[in-house]
Amino acid sequence: MSRDNTCLVSTILHLNNSTSAAFQLHNKHSASTIQKMNKNKKTSRRKFLVRGGLGTLGVLAIGTYVFRNPLRRKTLSIAETLIPPYNGSGTKANLWFEITKDNQVMLHSSKVEMGQGTFTGLAQMVADELDVAIEQIQVIGAASATGIVDGLSTGGSLSIASLWVPLREMAATMREMVKGEAAKKMGVAKSDLTTKDGVVSGGGKTMTYAEVAADVTEWDVPGTPDLRPVSSYKFVGKPIPRVDLAAKVFGDPIFGMDAEMPDMLHACVIRPEHIGATFKSADTSKAEGMNGVVKVIETEDWVGVVAKTFSQALAAKRAIKVTWDIPRKWTESDIREMLQVGKGDRMITQKVGDELDPEDADVVSIAFSSPIGAHAQMEPNGAVAHVEDGKATIILSTQVVGITQKQVAKALGIDTDDVNIIPTYLGGGFGRRLNTSHAVMAAKMSKEVGKPVKYFFTRKEEFQNDTFRPPTHHIMRGKLNANGFLDSVEHHYASGDVAINSVLMPGFAHTVLGTDFGAMRGANIMYEKIPNHRSVQWHTTLPFATSWWRSLGLLANTFAIESFIDEMAIKAGKSPVDFRLAMLGTEGNQARIRKVIEVAAEKSGYTDKVKGDKAMGFAASIDTGSPCAQVVEVSIVDNKIKVHKVTCAFDCGIAVNPDQVRAQCEGSIMMGISGVLHEKMTLKDGQLYPTIYGPYEMALMRDAPGEIDIHLIQGAEVPLPVGEPPLGPIGAAIGNAVRRLTGKRVGDLPMRVG
Amino acid sequence: MKKLRLLYIIPVILFATILLATDFNEYAEENNNRTFTRQTAESTEYFDQMMSALTHPRCLNCHPSDNKPKQGIEAHPHYFGVERGKDDHGFTATNCNTCHQEENNDFSGVPGAPHWGLAPASMNWEGLSKTEIATSMMDKSRNGGKTPKEILKHLTEDPLVLWAWNPGIDAAGNPREKPPISKEAYIAAVKGWFEAGAVIPQ
Amino acid sequence: MKISFNINGQPQSVEIEDPNTPLLWVVRDMLDLKGTKFGCGKAACGACTLHVEGEAVRSCSYAVKFAEGKNVVTIEGLGDRENPHPVQQAWIEHVVPQCGYCQPGFIMATAALLAKNPNPTDEDIDNNIVNVCRCATYTRMRKAIHRAADLTPSSKVLNE
């Protein structure tokens, strides 16, 4: 990833402050100089300010909430389907684009790249409005000192959707600025100029963008141009190869784990093994004299060791005897006892029509459950930190650049502006890096030794200190009407924290919302024509951290609901496809759900009849506005469930990069298969177990379906979330196939037969 | 009484003569046919001691009956679907030596010893009784054509066998369980059993 | 202790205090070849796979002393942008990586497989490629492995 760091110009577009943009000459200037220069600039507040003001999900939600349940429910239903606009830091002048001397455009992305393909999609959007070739764009994650970092997170499958309009508008604005300057330099009317591949042409002359920008100190800023029609785009909508493809195939050092700083030391931190254990004291005497050990650092609640090499730090860590206060040895049954429908904080998250009478003999009731899930992302968490003279620089893989910056500043007692968080490519996110508070530990250790320190988790520490997907318990109840369709359906679900108590949620959110909207993902009934339907959450905070895991509650909630729908279709003697279609409306998202169901059924040749040793299973869901239906073909060999083929129909609106949308579908389906057939964390001797791949069973190559057949449908005129919604149907689809094969309904994840 | 004692002594002398006159090995081979030696309390004790080690997961895990190596004290199938392969050393490219080297690795907790691999399929012991294991072990058609002397050597000198008493630490850093008797006691028992005629209690 | 070996075709000596140090850390921290990844440190995930004498080895569980006098190849030495290895070429054609962290390990494991078995069946792939990919890019990897088998060194495309 070599690049010419000497930039001719940088474009500073004040997304939240202004439509005005300023090109600043910063040949050989450091990025921090640029930032200071821009801070002093006066900015006009027009279009982008309005968008910025509407801002985050939080702002909108908090502004609207009132303290009565029915209204809260309404708000929650809005929150569930809302695409929040871009969540930039809003108040700072920051850098979006730079044009380098060799006529490359560097995009400082406010969103990080963790495999979801966002960098590629953003490059496509920029290329089409800025009129440069895709190869001319380099995308880097914005550092907090030099670029716009997302004040909230990269997550929720929202990166492309939230930047869809503002990023293209900025690129278009920049294109017009270049043209305006070119008109002056070339002596050709702006209206006679055209732009292509980073070159301005007109009146028989050409200039590269770099040539246009050279030596310009004052720029004329036009009003925000109209965006071009999507149909005219050369890159958006095309399966452009990932911009990070070569770096990832040739082993470039692009991850947080690969980061180094000059004169860097290595550190280990001892983390508790037992749930709820707190640090009491440590005997560090042996470690202190060991080879390579620079310093053993004991704080109020943890102890770390800094050494010259990682191996030395690890050896010294093993020589430290820590005494922990272990108030209680939690067991699996303790957790299951706590986490049940009927226990914890109750909140009706959806309420249409009447409640079922549980005494009614015609009511069918089935229980479901899902286990604790680990993120198990391949790159361990870690950070390289350097703290010196009241300033901190931290390089790490994180989904929360802005939040990590604030946490480090607070822990060190310095200004936020004095903390520069430099995000790298992430070796997997999946929600695990929505909490990267370990950056604080690295920073504190660096401060202690006065040198850069690299600190990362061992794999055991990853497994025991994860912010797990919470276990869940569900009771589905329903009743058919005289025509054999659902008259009532109820989803009662118990979950640990997802959004609540996470770093993304303000402390008062729980009180205001009364529910965990993360656990609620996928929990509401999507079939509007069922006359009576409701969803009731029972929330409990567990004694270990549970939080965001790719698609949040969607995997488990859809497993429960769509398994139950299938069971009721069987009871009614109806095709599960017809049964579902009859319960859907014909407008808006109802029509879009209908469409994916029809396409999946048709393309897969769905039948509810067992053929030979195989059966098909059907399920659908809608998550953050993106409906998905999946059909699986399953057999059971030696009491093991084998998925042979998955057909997936998915509507995410505009697919900015259809190949990468497919990749996200494939990944979601496969991660879902892994989740519902293999994965399970348990409690053993008061600890979370297992602590390594293998014992933590996951889908491997041999578990991958022979074919994943994806059909993309564009049912909206904007790009909608992609990275998580396809995780919805897979669990229920497999369970429904198993039901056809064995006659038995599997209620507990991971699924076991025989 | 005297006569009886004499009678008893004759085979012992015979035994000693043969032992001196012939290769121990050939003797033991004949002995394996159990034509003229008998089970004694002593040999049974040696046998039981030896078997307490050979039936321990440290030994049995690499003598599977289903082509799947076992791991851990509870002898679960080797993770990641590892199997015997064509040469008892795993699959073509992903084989034992992809992860296991000539020594235990304390950084990873991956065990290692020279020629790490499975015993050939003919030597499947998993699920067998002590007597069945010993019978298999002494049976040239199943033991890789080994003479009793070679078996004795394998049992008492092969570094892969003796690894059982130096099993290292597991992935969590905890020491692996060793067989119930010490290495020295095991070697003494094996030698004692062979010297006592390698009699397999029936 | 001095240990000498060839890495990516170049002779290399390292001075190391503990000869049991995993080769992974020597490669990453001393030789600054960061393509070989640390994933679990327990030889369970395969992210650290490299080649020793042409064999796939999980370097987090391989004491550097065992590399003495041997040929070691890492992802950096397998191929480059100008001259990609057929496996890398196939990976590019099928746009396999997502987050990319596990990919060097998979590519090295696949290259070792193809060196021994130029036309692996699906079953051969299932048995030999047992690394872990959390983005779960398995279906594309399988296609890419078959494609790599079809690509002979002479058909390598010169640029990506």
Side-chain angles (χ1 to χ4, degrees), chain A residues 283-297 304-308 312-313 315-317 319-320, chain C residues 17:
Chain A
D283 175 4
T284 61
S285 51
K286 192 179 166 203
E288 271 158 11
M290 287 175 72
N291 264 343
V293 171
V294 176
K295 192 165 187 181
V296 179
I297 296 157
V305 56
V306 183
K308 285 178 184 158
Q312 289 167 336
K317 175 188 166 183
I320 295 174
Chain C
E17 188 184 290

mmCIF file of all heavy atoms in Angstrom, chain A residues 283-297 304-308 312-313 315-317 319-320, chain C residues 17:
data_model
loop_
_atom_site.group_PDB
_atom_site.id
_atom_site.type_symbol
_atom_site.label_atom_id
_atom_site.label_comp_id
_atom_site.label_asym_id
_atom_site.label_seq_id
_atom_site.Cartn_x
_atom_site.Cartn_y
_atom_site.Cartn_z
ATOM 1 N N ASP A 283 1.075 -11.022 42.707
ATOM 2 C CA ASP A 283 2.468 -11.214 43.090
ATOM 3 C C ASP A 283 3.285 -11.149 41.797
ATOM 4 O O ASP A 283 3.257 -12.064 40.978
ATOM 5 C CB ASP A 283 2.637 -12.572 43.780
ATOM 6 C CG ASP A 283 4.106 -12.854 44.093
ATOM 7 O OD1 ASP A 283 4.955 -11.966 43.833
ATOM 8 O OD2 ASP A 283 4.392 -13.954 44.578
ATOM 9 N N THR A 284 3.991 -10.040 41.647
ATOM 10 C CA THR A 284 4.699 -9.802 40.388
ATOM 11 C C THR A 284 6.209 -9.969 40.532
ATOM 12 O O THR A 284 6.952 -9.715 39.592
ATOM 13 C CB THR A 284 4.406 -8.365 39.883
ATOM 14 O OG1 THR A 284 4.887 -7.445 40.870
ATOM 15 C CG2 THR A 284 2.929 -8.155 39.666
ATOM 16 N N SER A 285 6.635 -10.414 41.735
ATOM 17 C CA SER A 285 8.075 -10.407 42.019
ATOM 18 C C SER A 285 8.877 -11.241 41.029
ATOM 19 O O SER A 285 9.930 -10.833 40.570
ATOM 20 C CB SER A 285 8.308 -10.900 43.452
ATOM 21 O OG SER A 285 7.624 -12.128 43.643
ATOM 22 N N LYS A 286 8.358 -12.420 40.675
ATOM 23 C CA LYS A 286 9.106 -13.298 39.773
ATOM 24 C C LYS A 286 9.192 -12.676 38.370
ATOM 25 O O LYS A 286 10.249 -12.674 37.745
ATOM 26 C CB LYS A 286 8.425 -14.664 39.716
ATOM 27 C CG LYS A 286 9.284 -15.714 39.037
ATOM 28 C CD LYS A 286 8.608 -17.076 39.015
ATOM 29 C CE LYS A 286 9.321 -18.008 38.041
ATOM 30 N NZ LYS A 286 8.443 -19.095 37.583
ATOM 31 N N ALA A 287 8.055 -12.129 37.935
ATOM 32 C CA ALA A 287 7.987 -11.588 36.570
ATOM 33 C C ALA A 287 8.939 -10.418 36.392
ATOM 34 O O ALA A 287 9.553 -10.249 35.330
ATOM 35 C CB ALA A 287 6.564 -11.161 36.257
ATOM 36 N N GLU A 288 9.070 -9.605 37.442
ATOM 37 C CA GLU A 288 9.857 -8.383 37.311
ATOM 38 C C GLU A 288 11.314 -8.632 36.957
ATOM 39 O O GLU A 288 11.943 -7.835 36.274
ATOM 40 C CB GLU A 288 9.752 -7.552 38.597
ATOM 41 C CG GLU A 288 8.561 -6.608 38.522
ATOM 42 C CD GLU A 288 8.057 -6.144 39.881
ATOM 43 O OE1 GLU A 288 8.747 -6.386 40.877
ATOM 44 O OE2 GLU A 288 6.973 -5.552 39.913
ATOM 45 N N GLY A 289 11.842 -9.780 37.385
ATOM 46 C CA GLY A 289 13.246 -10.056 37.083
ATOM 47 C C GLY A 289 13.466 -10.828 35.796
ATOM 48 O O GLY A 289 14.588 -11.204 35.485
ATOM 49 N N MET A 290 12.399 -11.104 35.089
ATOM 50 C CA MET A 290 12.543 -11.986 33.928
ATOM 51 C C MET A 290 13.135 -11.270 32.714
ATOM 52 O O MET A 290 13.050 -10.063 32.589
ATOM 53 C CB MET A 290 11.195 -12.637 33.598
ATOM 54 C CG MET A 290 10.822 -13.718 34.606
ATOM 55 S SD MET A 290 9.189 -14.412 34.367
ATOM 56 C CE MET A 290 9.418 -15.387 32.885
ATOM 57 N N ASN A 291 13.688 -12.101 31.842
ATOM 58 C CA ASN A 291 14.329 -11.590 30.633
ATOM 59 C C ASN A 291 13.426 -10.676 29.835
ATOM 60 O O ASN A 291 12.294 -11.045 29.518
ATOM 61 C CB ASN A 291 14.718 -12.763 29.721
ATOM 62 C CG ASN A 291 16.157 -13.154 29.920
ATOM 63 O OD1 ASN A 291 16.932 -12.380 30.477
ATOM 64 N ND2 ASN A 291 16.499 -14.352 29.488
ATOM 65 N N GLY A 292 13.946 -9.523 29.483
ATOM 66 C CA GLY A 292 13.231 -8.635 28.577
ATOM 67 C C GLY A 292 12.136 -7.815 29.220
ATOM 68 O O GLY A 292 11.570 -6.933 28.572
ATOM 69 N N VAL A 293 11.827 -8.096 30.489
ATOM 70 C CA VAL A 293 10.722 -7.377 31.112
ATOM 71 C C VAL A 293 11.128 -5.934 31.413
ATOM 72 O O VAL A 293 12.150 -5.682 32.038
ATOM 73 C CB VAL A 293 10.251 -8.088 32.401
ATOM 74 C CG1 VAL A 293 9.254 -7.226 33.173
ATOM 75 C CG2 VAL A 293 9.625 -9.434 32.035
ATOM 76 N N VAL A 294 10.344 -5.007 30.933
ATOM 77 C CA VAL A 294 10.622 -3.588 31.133
ATOM 78 C C VAL A 294 9.899 -3.075 32.367
ATOM 79 O O VAL A 294 10.460 -2.377 33.199
ATOM 80 C CB VAL A 294 10.211 -2.772 29.881
ATOM 81 C CG1 VAL A 294 10.403 -1.275 30.114
ATOM 82 C CG2 VAL A 294 11.011 -3.231 28.665
ATOM 83 N N LYS A 295 8.641 -3.435 32.503
ATOM 84 C CA LYS A 295 7.884 -2.958 33.652
ATOM 85 C C LYS A 295 6.629 -3.798 33.867
ATOM 86 O O LYS A 295 5.982 -4.206 32.903
ATOM 87 C CB LYS A 295 7.479 -1.496 33.436
ATOM 88 C CG LYS A 295 6.941 -0.835 34.701
ATOM 89 C CD LYS A 295 6.900 0.684 34.574
ATOM 90 C CE LYS A 295 6.536 1.310 35.912
ATOM 91 N NZ LYS A 295 6.466 2.755 35.863
ATOM 92 N N VAL A 296 6.341 -4.045 35.121
ATOM 93 C CA VAL A 296 5.056 -4.655 35.461
ATOM 94 C C VAL A 296 4.176 -3.542 36.008
ATOM 95 O O VAL A 296 4.593 -2.793 36.897
ATOM 96 C CB VAL A 296 5.216 -5.783 36.498
ATOM 97 C CG1 VAL A 296 3.858 -6.367 36.850
ATOM 98 C CG2 VAL A 296 6.143 -6.865 35.961
ATOM 99 N N ILE A 297 3.004 -3.396 35.417
ATOM 100 C CA ILE A 297 2.140 -2.272 35.760
ATOM 101 C C ILE A 297 0.897 -2.780 36.466
ATOM 102 O O ILE A 297 0.152 -3.596 35.914
ATOM 103 C CB ILE A 297 1.754 -1.491 34.482
ATOM 104 C CG1 ILE A 297 3.017 -0.879 33.857
ATOM 105 C CG2 ILE A 297 0.723 -0.405 34.796
ATOM 106 C CD1 ILE A 297 2.886 -0.593 32.394
ATOM 107 N N GLY A 304 -0.634 -5.505 34.101
ATOM 108 C CA GLY A 304 -0.059 -5.750 32.780
ATOM 109 C C GLY A 304 1.448 -5.836 32.875
ATOM 110 O O GLY A 304 2.040 -5.373 33.845
ATOM 111 N N VAL A 305 2.033 -6.459 31.876
ATOM 112 C CA VAL A 305 3.487 -6.556 31.857
ATOM 113 C C VAL A 305 3.999 -6.118 30.481
ATOM 114 O O VAL A 305 3.455 -6.508 29.459
ATOM 115 C CB VAL A 305 3.966 -7.982 32.248
ATOM 116 C CG1 VAL A 305 3.332 -9.032 31.348
ATOM 117 C CG2 VAL A 305 5.480 -8.097 32.197
ATOM 118 N N VAL A 306 5.018 -5.251 30.513
ATOM 119 C CA VAL A 306 5.587 -4.745 29.269
ATOM 120 C C VAL A 306 6.994 -5.318 29.120
ATOM 121 O O VAL A 306 7.786 -5.277 30.061
ATOM 122 C CB VAL A 306 5.655 -3.198 29.271
ATOM 123 C CG1 VAL A 306 6.183 -2.680 27.941
ATOM 124 C CG2 VAL A 306 4.286 -2.604 29.581
ATOM 125 N N ALA A 307 7.266 -5.887 27.952
ATOM 126 C CA ALA A 307 8.581 -6.492 27.699
ATOM 127 C C ALA A 307 9.037 -6.146 26.291
ATOM 128 O O ALA A 307 8.290 -5.557 25.515
ATOM 129 C CB ALA A 307 8.506 -7.998 27.895
ATOM 130 N N LYS A 308 10.273 -6.561 26.017
ATOM 131 C CA LYS A 308 10.823 -6.206 24.705
ATOM 132 C C LYS A 308 10.148 -6.977 23.572
ATOM 133 O O LYS A 308 9.933 -6.445 22.497
ATOM 134 C CB LYS A 308 12.340 -6.452 24.690
ATOM 135 C CG LYS A 308 13.084 -5.364 25.464
ATOM 136 C CD LYS A 308 14.575 -5.627 25.485
ATOM 137 C CE LYS A 308 15.268 -4.576 26.343
ATOM 138 N NZ LYS A 308 16.575 -5.044 26.814
ATOM 139 N N GLN A 312 8.462 -12.708 25.466
ATOM 140 C CA GLN A 312 8.922 -12.379 26.825
ATOM 141 C C GLN A 312 7.780 -11.872 27.685
ATOM 142 O O GLN A 312 7.657 -12.225 28.857
ATOM 143 C CB GLN A 312 10.038 -11.324 26.754
ATOM 144 C CG GLN A 312 11.343 -11.876 26.192
ATOM 145 C CD GLN A 312 12.328 -10.775 25.824
ATOM 146 O OE1 GLN A 312 11.939 -9.632 25.556
ATOM 147 N NE2 GLN A 312 13.600 -11.115 25.801
ATOM 148 N N ALA A 313 6.921 -11.064 27.083
ATOM 149 C CA ALA A 313 5.777 -10.542 27.840
ATOM 150 C C ALA A 313 4.855 -11.685 28.257
ATOM 151 O O ALA A 313 4.358 -11.732 29.387
ATOM 152 C CB ALA A 313 5.017 -9.517 26.998
ATOM 153 N N ALA A 315 5.705 -14.867 28.660
ATOM 154 C CA ALA A 315 6.352 -15.687 29.689
ATOM 155 C C ALA A 315 6.240 -15.017 31.051
ATOM 156 O O ALA A 315 5.941 -15.667 32.060
ATOM 157 C CB ALA A 315 7.815 -15.910 29.315
ATOM 158 N N ALA A 316 6.434 -13.707 31.082
ATOM 159 C CA ALA A 316 6.349 -12.983 32.354
ATOM 160 C C ALA A 316 4.919 -12.982 32.882
ATOM 161 O O ALA A 316 4.688 -13.116 34.086
ATOM 162 C CB ALA A 316 6.842 -11.549 32.164
ATOM 163 N N LYS A 317 3.995 -12.865 31.981
ATOM 164 C CA LYS A 317 2.591 -12.885 32.376
ATOM 165 C C LYS A 317 2.262 -14.192 33.098
ATOM 166 O O LYS A 317 1.566 -14.208 34.114
ATOM 167 C CB LYS A 317 1.719 -12.742 31.123
ATOM 168 C CG LYS A 317 0.246 -12.860 31.373
ATOM 169 C CD LYS A 317 -0.492 -12.895 30.053
ATOM 170 C CE LYS A 317 -1.922 -13.362 30.237
ATOM 171 N NZ LYS A 317 -2.626 -13.461 28.961
ATOM 172 N N ALA A 319 4.166 -15.879 34.837
ATOM 173 C CA ALA A 319 4.832 -15.938 36.138
ATOM 174 C C ALA A 319 4.156 -15.048 37.178
ATOM 175 O O ALA A 319 4.561 -15.043 38.339
ATOM 176 C CB ALA A 319 6.292 -15.536 35.977
ATOM 177 N N ILE A 320 3.151 -14.304 36.754
ATOM 178 C CA ILE A 320 2.459 -13.420 37.703
ATOM 179 C C ILE A 320 1.281 -14.164 38.315
ATOM 180 O O ILE A 320 0.473 -14.764 37.599
ATOM 181 C CB ILE A 320 1.983 -12.132 36.994
ATOM 182 C CG1 ILE A 320 3.186 -11.327 36.514
ATOM 183 C CG2 ILE A 320 1.103 -11.295 37.927
ATOM 184 C CD1 ILE A 320 2.819 -10.112 35.673
ATOM 185 N N GLU C 17 17.078 -15.681 21.808
ATOM 186 C CA GLU C 17 17.342 -16.110 23.170
ATOM 187 C C GLU C 17 16.720 -17.485 23.428
ATOM 188 O O GLU C 17 17.359 -18.374 23.961
ATOM 189 C CB GLU C 17 16.682 -15.049 24.062
ATOM 190 C CG GLU C 17 16.922 -15.112 25.510
ATOM 191 C CD GLU C 17 16.091 -14.011 26.170
ATOM 192 O OE1 GLU C 17 16.428 -12.818 25.994
ATOM 193 O OE2 GLU C 17 15.087 -14.356 26.801
#
